[in-house]
Amino acid sequence: MDRPDIETYIEGVLKRDRRRIAKAITLIESTLPAHQEMSREILDRLIPYTGKAIRLGVTGLPGAGKSTFIENFGTLLTEKGYRVAVLTVDPSSPKTGGSILADKTRMEKLATNDRAFIRPSPSGGTLGGVARKTRETLFLCEAAGFDVVIVETVGVGQSEVTVASMVDFFLVLMIAGAGDELQGIKKGVLELADAIAVNKADGDNVERTLMARRQYEVAFHLLNPASRSWTPPVLACSALTGDGLGKIWDVVCDHRDIMTASGEFEKKRREQALDWMWFLVREGLADWFFGREAIVRLVPEMVRAIETGTMTPTSAASRMLAFLKNNPS
Ligand code: GDP
């Protein structure tokens, strides 16, 4: 059986060996403690080789055209000579337990492109768990020399905030709807966007798309810009015909140049790294806390007390946290 050691993984990733890259990602995704230990060491050793890619987040509601966009945009980038990795953050739907993105065959052209690498979201798990693995996979792809890493997420729930926190540029795909364009779009998403692209600007949809574009522009003007040097543009494109995709890439590059010159690029990456550290500390604390035997025993008792109204949530929480004070080490 093929059981490579850490050196083999590191060498394989740096040599851009696709099989080893895929296996290293499988290690990252594994829940076995021994695998987690190994992947931590691999990532630590690869850190000096990371940081050079453009990290691009893409979101949009189901049907907005994300997979069509990534397929053709990714292909365009490979034609420009770039190597492109595509990752997804797709936590299981809390309602159905199934994933939202992975059900259909997606990006067939890109999947067979030598310069591209597509890795679907690790299956199952919470958003935090999926995001953690995707973030580590992003670093691994950078070490493997990918020039652009696209992280796709579906535009529902909290996953957009999570993806925005791991990328340099966050692109929101929209489509022109009937009537009020701002219906169904969360203000929070606009605040995360570094650009909006109104997709499906083709055929007899062009006019409607341009109207929608103007409405989004107005909406943007009502927001306080997140950056002093960047005003998010609203673009129109057709993922299907490829119209406007080149312009979107130009915007991504302009953004990188402008933000680098103002120092905001590095600042954002530093802040993201710090946020990530605190996230891991909080997650580790929670794992540790809920793994204590006394807490495991206390939890059902406290839940019952709340459900039967014999205790207030505040006192139940205090009682559980008192465990920490009494068992500091
Ligand atoms: P996703 O759910 O966001 O990944 O959306 P898909 O990429 O699967 O696209 C949903 C549907 O819209 C598919 O039938 C696509 O062929 C279609 N579509 C995507 N982009 C465009 C576009 O630019 N123009 C037109 N006319 N249709 C598009």
Side-chain angles (χ1 to χ4, degrees):
M1 205 168 97
D2 182 18
R3 298 186 74 174
D5 59 13
I6 285 176
E7 298 305 327
T8 318
Y9 279 110
I10 291 172
E11 219 181 276
V13 170
L14 293 177
K15 276 197 191 143
R16 307 178 173 186
D17 173 342
R18 300 173 77 91
R19 211 175 115 249
R20 285 274 177 260
I21 297 169
K23 289 203 161 202
I25 297 174
T26 304
L27 218 51
I28 288 174
E29 291 173 354
S30 167
T31 49
L32 289 180
H35 288 171
Q36 290 179 351
E37 178 94 4
M38 256 176 109
S39 69
R40 226 181 350 259
E41 195 172 333
I42 293 170
L43 285 165
D44 273 347
R45 297 263 305 274
L46 289 175
I47 281 293
Y49 303 95
T50 63
K52 293 188 197 78
I54 290 193
R55 304 169 184 168
L56 175 67
V58 175
T59 191
L61 291 172
K66 292 179 297 300
S67 43
T68 312
F69 175 84
I70 294 172
E71 167 99 315
N72 289 329
F73 188 71
T75 304
L76 173 78
L77 297 185
T78 62
E79 285 162 4
K80 286 180 184 287
Y82 297 115
R83 295 174 72 238
V84 181
V86 180
L87 314 176
T88 50
V89 169
D90 182 19
S92 305
S93 150
K95 290 204 186 91
T96 64
S99 67
I100 303 168
L101 290 171
D103 297 345
K104 46 190 171 161
T105 313
R106 312 173 88 239
M107 304 172 216
E108 283 171 338
K109 199 165 53 170
L110 207 55
T112 56
N113 185 324
D114 275 352
R115 290 182 159 271
F117 179 83
I118 300 178
R119 182 77 177 197
S121 187
S123 58
T126 59
L127 175 58
V130 171
R132 174 187 190 144
K133 291 165 189 169
T134 304
R135 192 181 290 253
E136 291 176 354
T137 303
L138 186 151
F139 288 131
L140 193 96
C141 290
E142 287 195 339
F146 287 98
D147 306 293
V148 184
V149 183
I150 298 176
V151 186
E152 177 194 12
T153 194
V154 68
V156 293
Q158 273 295 303
S159 56
E160 288 145 329
V161 180
T162 307
V163 170
S165 75
M166 61 175 90
V167 296
D168 306 316
F169 191 100
F170 195 61
L171 176 69
V172 179
L173 283 186
M174 297 280 183
I175 41 176
D180 183 1
E181 301 307 342
L182 298 179
Q183 256 177 26
I185 164 180
K186 293 168 281 171
K187 185 161 165 275
V189 176
L190 276 187
E191 279 163 357
L192 296 172
D194 293 299
I196 283 186
V198 190
N199 189 30
K200 307 197 185 181
D202 47 50
D204 39 5
N205 203 33
V206 171
E207 203 43 50
R208 286 197 323 148
T209 308
L210 295 180
M211 250 166 65
R213 183 181 164 179
R214 281 193 291 276
Q215 296 192 10
Y216 289 127
E217 263 165 356
V218 172
F220 258 134
H221 280 300
L222 301 175
L223 290 176
N224 286 330
S227 155
R228 55 190 148 85
S229 29
W230 183 258
T231 308
V234 184
L235 307 153
C237 71
S238 168
L240 203 61
T241 66
D243 274 353
L245 299 189
K247 167 78 182 159
I248 293 177
W249 177 242
D250 291 344
V251 165
V252 172
C253 295
D254 286 351
H255 175 265
R256 186 180 170 117
D257 292 346
I258 290 169
M259 299 300 263
T260 302
S262 71
E264 286 164 280
F265 189 86
E266 274 312 310
K267 183 166 171 270
K268 184 169 171 183
R269 281 202 170 176
R270 267 200 312 275
E271 283 170 0
Q272 287 177 335
L274 272 178
D275 286 351
W276 185 236
M277 178 188 76
W278 289 122
F279 169 83
L280 292 175
V281 168
R282 279 194 298 274
E283 198 187 57
L285 274 178
D287 282 353
W288 175 85
F289 182 73
F290 289 112
R292 299 296 97 183
E293 210 178 296
I295 296 299
V296 172
R297 267 185 280 124
L298 197 54
V299 165
E301 196 188 315
M302 293 297 99
V303 169
R304 243 187 339 269
I306 301 289
E307 283 172 350
T308 53
T310 51
M311 221 180 201
T312 64
T314 313
S315 4
S318 302
R319 190 145 157 223
M320 282 198 262
L321 289 171
F323 168 83
L324 270 184
K325 291 190 200 116
N326 302 331
N327 300 273
S329 57

